[in-house]
Amino acid sequence: MGIESGGPGRELSVPNRDSRESLPTDRKVDRRGFLQRMTAITAAVSAGTAVYPITPLPGSGTAAGAVSAPRAPGSRRKRPSGSRDPFRRPLPLPEASRISLNDPVALSLAELASLIEAGRLSPVELVEAYLARIDAHDSVYRAFKLVLADEALADAEELARASWRGPLHGIPLAVKDNFYTAGVPTLANSHIFEDFVPDFDATAVSRLQGAGAILLGKTEMGPLATSRATTPDGDWTTLNAWAPHIPEVSPGGSSSGSATSVASRMAASSIGTQTGGSINNPSLALGLTGLKPTMGRASVYGVIPLTYTRDHPGPLARDALDAAIIMQAIAGPDPSDPRTLGLPEVSDLVEAATPIRTNGRPAVRWPTTLGVLPGYLDLEVSGAGDEDTEEERVARRGRSEAEVNARKEMLRVFEELGVRVVEVNLPEDWEILSGRLFNNVRLPERSEPFLEVLREDVRKFGVSLAPWINGLLLDGTEYLRGQRAKLLLLERVLDQFFGHCDVVVQTDAYRFDIIGLPLINFPIGFEEASTGYPRPLGAMLGGMPYAEDRLLSLAAAYQEVTDWHRRRPAEPETFVVDGREARRPRINLREVMEVGE
Amino acid sequence: MHDLSDEELNSYILTRLKILGVDLSVLPKDDEDAPADQKRIMESARQFLRNTPPAIIEYFMDPQEVPPEMYPAALEARMREAPHGD
């Protein structure tokens, strides 16, 4: 089991429910108000008022390149000024004197931040350590599309001379290749973007760099953010760091490279995007902590669109505190993305992700009721068969005993931390309204931004073409009804889940993506006997609107008394299998169609 | 929709795509080694049409339930000085 004696933590009484300031954000939000906003997102998209940067798309050409330095010497891109400071003080970072410097790349972002602040570690040393690992291992993992070695070192030298800005100062991050990066190719692993070099940074990238982070590289991803990471024509690229010798073991999609870069200790942390599970699924597959925030909590301005009403940026991190630091930096209103405006203020996520103790024992920060879905602890999985995704079909073959035991232990740990665990019923028509067919309502939003490319040459979509074509076939009538059905689902989830609990376990990320609610995942064990490699087992919790603080606090409390998040995969020995170079298979059309994205 | 033949659906799909100016004929007709071919794209489209529109349309929704409304943030962005995140 993963229970271990906790660290020192901070002594703090459980807040009084009557104190509004001490409440998690989900208790300050009018659930009906959120419904209205989500309704309006639908209307705005229908009316064409949602904002995405529509950039002229370049022509097609040769296949996208491998890892390389994209810029000529002397043409270094300018770092954002960093006038925005999203972090409140004092910062609850780990004590630097207690952190071993033996292997910096194995440390968490928060630990690295503490060492850098204390002057025990230089950003230059840290960047050099990650670059050395990338040189040594990325030919196997293929997590990076592009490594910005010279730029990262130059930034590190500049930051080493500057005064400490906050926990991201000098921290090398990996960024999914669908975030615009000024002067740096942004390809989204598609022929469509193979010559595309944006002239501005995505808001999330700008904010991270403004807070002192270093852009280490752009990561491999599913073409246009669909499947696991592949080339534009479908050949697998990124491998799962826990099983690099078995290419069939998926790193999850589509933020595959971001997840593998962190798990393999080639970056301190990373950001990705999620439309149908692309942060949570790779985080689960790699034993990381992934946070998919509420719709609008963080800007997607400067992100290549996949689905206007469902695209969310967020961290794939080593633990809850690291995820909170990233999220704190990127969250908040952005005038360039109206979806982020008019929402509740971002709470102190870093504080929320700091473990506390009550009466000397680790405890949850806020009184919390955790809802458990029917069948969550069953070995056999029931449910409709014909309408399942491939992922669901795999899941329905039955869970292993190890997985069920890990889930039981996770619930027991939460109870010990003071969480009330209750079984909740599924909302009315849950399987229909959150199922694969209603999930297809997203497809016209996928096709519309790319109409010009579809009209010019469908071959530019490579292996990803089918859903873009299908999106053109869904009539406006079905689209509107499907959008209203999403709101009905949201209403029922808010009433029928969250009328009985504060957070609810989830097993498929895309269902909460449909309705824009936040999700966090974190590791709860490993399974090796039946898999032949240490497969990370994870849990996923869904919350009410803007409940990022509560979700982070729960994951942090769990991680205070367990050590699964501290496990690291072994070094990859070789990419040779049975005396030959291991072949990376190609994704097929069925997989393209059936993934949740 | 379940009663429609492949030929009827093919005709619908190709007509719809032609209206939009999208041309599938640039793809190879039937080539499993190609990233996409006409055969697989048409099969996917027929399956999509046989399943998704009927499921959505047959789900009755009261016209008084969850009517679309304007997104408040769109007004927020246009009616006064927008908050600055940076």
Side-chain angles (χ1 to χ4, degrees):
Chain A
M1 293 301 176
I3 306 294
E4 63 171 17
S5 59
R10 295 198 306 152
E11 188 74 27
L12 189 69
S13 298
V14 173
N16 185 335
R17 268 187 183 275
D18 294 329
S19 168
R20 189 168 174 79
E21 278 306 307
S22 67
L23 294 176
T25 307
D26 59 13
R27 283 287 173 245
K28 301 175 190 171
V29 172
D30 173 10
R31 284 188 284 157
R32 307 300 303 179
F34 181 77
L35 266 174
Q36 288 177 352
R37 271 190 290 280
M38 285 300 293
T39 308
I41 288 179
T42 300
V45 171
S46 301
T49 55
V51 171
Y52 263 115
I54 304 299
T55 307
L57 300 172
S60 64
T62 56
V67 175
S68 62
R71 295 166 62 80
S75 61
R76 186 175 161 226
R77 75 198 211 104
K78 189 173 176 238
R79 286 185 61 83
S81 63
S83 59
R84 179 178 182 269
D85 184 359
F87 298 102
R88 299 174 198 179
R89 303 296 197 275
L91 283 159
L93 296 176
E95 202 174 311
S97 62
R98 296 187 174 197
I99 303 168
S100 167
L101 252 175
N102 285 345
D103 189 12
V105 296
L107 298 175
S108 71
L109 188 163
E111 289 168 331
L112 294 170
S114 184
L115 290 172
I116 290 173
E117 182 189 19
R120 290 186 58 208
L121 178 67
S122 151
V124 177
E125 293 173 278
L126 188 57
V127 168
E128 286 174 342
Y130 283 123
L131 290 176
R133 279 195 69 78
I134 292 169
D135 278 347
H137 301 304
D138 201 43
S139 60
V140 175
Y141 292 128
R142 292 184 66 179
F144 284 95
K145 184 79 179 169
L146 205 67
V147 177
L148 297 161
D150 294 341
E151 302 258 346
L153 279 170
D155 280 355
E157 285 166 6
E158 183 181 315
L159 288 160
R161 295 189 296 270
S163 56
W164 195 73
R165 292 186 200 174
L168 287 167
H169 186 106
I171 300 292
L173 299 180
V175 172
K176 188 175 180 178
D177 200 27
N178 57 348
F179 286 88
Y180 282 27
T181 40
V184 175
T186 299
L187 310 177
N189 268 359
S190 171
H191 292 307
I192 295 166
F193 291 94
E194 61 195 3
D195 300 321
F196 181 51
V197 180
D199 58 6
F200 67 95
D201 287 320
T203 298
V205 172
S206 172
R207 287 180 175 180
L208 288 168
Q209 290 198 285
I214 294 170
L215 177 58
L216 189 59
K218 306 289 292 289
T219 56
E220 293 277 2
M221 56 183 281
L224 298 172
T226 49
S227 59
R228 68 178 282 179
T230 75
T231 64
D233 287 343
D235 295 323
W236 295 353
T237 52
T238 308
L239 302 177
N240 187 312
W242 291 94
H245 56 296
I246 314 174
E248 289 75 16
V249 175
S250 174
S254 61
S255 307
S256 320
S258 293
T260 289
S261 71
V262 178
S264 63
R265 306 182 290 282
M266 297 192 295
S269 200
S270 68
I271 55 170
T273 54
Q274 176 152 319
T275 306
S278 281
I279 290 172
N280 296 121
N281 290 339
S283 297
L284 284 165
L286 272 301
L288 302 176
T289 301
L291 176 64
K292 195 283 292 186
T294 312
M295 181 71 199
R297 182 78 293 179
S299 170
V300 284
Y301 183 68
V303 176
I304 293 170
L306 184 61
T307 304
Y308 290 118
T309 57
R310 288 174 47 165
D311 292 342
H312 310 78
L316 299 89
R318 294 200 196 287
D319 60 27
L321 182 55
D322 286 7
I325 290 169
I326 300 272
M327 198 66 229
Q328 193 85 60
I330 67 174
D334 173 13
S336 297
D337 185 349
R339 286 161 294 190
T340 65
L341 305 180
L343 308 183
E345 187 183 352
V346 180
S347 60
D348 190 340
L349 302 176
V350 176
E351 177 76 18
T354 304
I356 64 165
R357 288 173 174 262
T358 54
N359 301 321
R361 300 176 59 188
V364 288
R365 181 171 289 271
W366 295 292
T368 297
T369 300
L370 190 162
V372 178
L373 300 178
Y376 184 68
L377 299 177
D378 292 350
L379 280 170
E380 297 297 324
V381 184
S382 61
D386 292 344
E387 297 176 358
D388 292 346
T389 64
E390 181 63 22
E391 187 180 43
E392 288 169 327
R393 272 195 291 276
V394 170
R396 286 181 206 288
R397 286 174 199 149
R399 298 188 188 100
S400 69
E401 201 168 329
E403 189 161 8
V404 171
N405 287 340
R407 288 180 175 189
K408 287 178 180 171
E409 176 65 8
M410 176 267 295
L411 295 176
R412 189 196 67 73
V413 169
F414 272 124
E415 283 186 314
E416 200 164 90
L417 289 164
V419 171
R420 180 169 166 252
V421 177
V422 299
E423 183 159 308
V424 293
N425 293 321
L426 296 174
E428 183 183 353
D429 289 341
W430 167 259
E431 291 293 345
I432 297 172
L433 294 173
S434 71
R436 183 174 67 85
L437 296 178
F438 273 77
N439 188 32
N440 282 341
V441 170
R442 74 201 188 285
L443 296 181
E445 294 183 52
R446 182 178 294 195
S447 307
E448 186 273 339
F450 292 92
L451 260 178
E452 287 70 24
V453 190
L454 286 161
R455 287 162 57 91
E456 185 183 326
D457 188 349
V458 293
R459 289 173 293 188
K460 290 182 180 178
F461 289 82
V463 73
S464 310
L465 177 62
W468 267 264
I469 292 296
N470 293 346
L472 297 173
L473 303 176
L474 202 64
D475 182 80
T477 309
E478 295 103 287
Y479 177 75
L480 193 53
R481 170 131 330 164
Q483 293 298 323
R484 292 181 60 216
K486 284 170 53 172
L487 298 165
L488 185 61
L489 172 65
L490 174 63
E491 190 170 74
R492 289 177 178 174
V493 165
L494 292 181
D495 290 343
Q496 296 171 24
F497 271 156
F498 295 122
H500 304 283
C501 60
D502 301 298
V503 296
V504 61
V505 297
Q506 289 292 286
T507 54
D508 300 303
Y510 77 90
R511 297 179 195 266
F512 264 40
D513 289 335
I514 291 174
I515 48 180
L517 295 183
L519 288 164
I520 196 166
N521 69 273
F522 47 91
I524 61 170
F526 285 84
E527 174 183 23
E528 188 153 10
S530 63
T531 55
Y533 72 96
R535 180 171 82 97
L537 303 173
M540 186 159 52
L541 303 179
M544 280 189 274
Y546 318 111
E548 290 82 14
D549 49 6
R550 188 192 291 274
L551 294 173
L552 285 163
S553 75
L554 288 168
Y558 178 84
Q559 291 174 342
E560 177 70 356
V561 295
T562 60
D563 71 352
W564 306 116
H565 60 291
R566 294 189 173 278
R567 308 285 176 91
R568 306 285 184 255
E571 303 289 22
E573 290 180 5
T574 175
F575 188 46
V576 174
V577 175
D578 296 333
R580 292 180 304 170
E581 182 176 305
R583 178 176 167 271
R584 296 181 196 224
R586 175 176 286 190
I587 198 167
N588 61 41
L589 181 68
R590 187 174 161 194
E591 291 169 308
V592 170
M593 279 306 300
E594 292 183 346
V595 290
E597 287 292 357
Chain B
M1 190 66 81
H2 296 278
D3 297 325
L4 292 174
S5 67
D6 283 2
E7 291 69 28
E8 287 172 312
L9 285 172
N10 287 348
S11 176
Y12 173 82
I13 293 162
L14 294 173
T15 302
R16 169 72 179 155
L17 294 181
K18 194 163 188 179
I19 288 170
L20 295 173
V22 175
D23 180 14
L24 293 185
S25 71
V26 297
L27 297 172
K29 283 191 175 169
D30 182 4
D31 180 0
E32 279 292 324
D33 292 330
D37 60 23
Q38 293 180 50
K39 182 184 174 191
R40 281 177 285 158
I41 295 298
M42 292 300 287
E43 281 173 357
S44 168
R46 289 193 301 270
Q47 185 183 25
F48 178 80
L49 287 171
R50 283 193 167 107
N51 293 311
T52 297
I56 293 170
I57 294 305
E58 287 166 12
Y59 192 84
F60 173 74
M61 290 186 67
D62 185 333
Q64 295 302 318
E65 281 191 277
V66 286
E69 300 168 19
M70 279 301 291
Y71 183 41
L75 300 178
E76 182 95 7
R78 288 163 178 78
M79 290 181 67
R80 59 183 172 78
E81 189 178 350
H84 290 282
D86 289 298

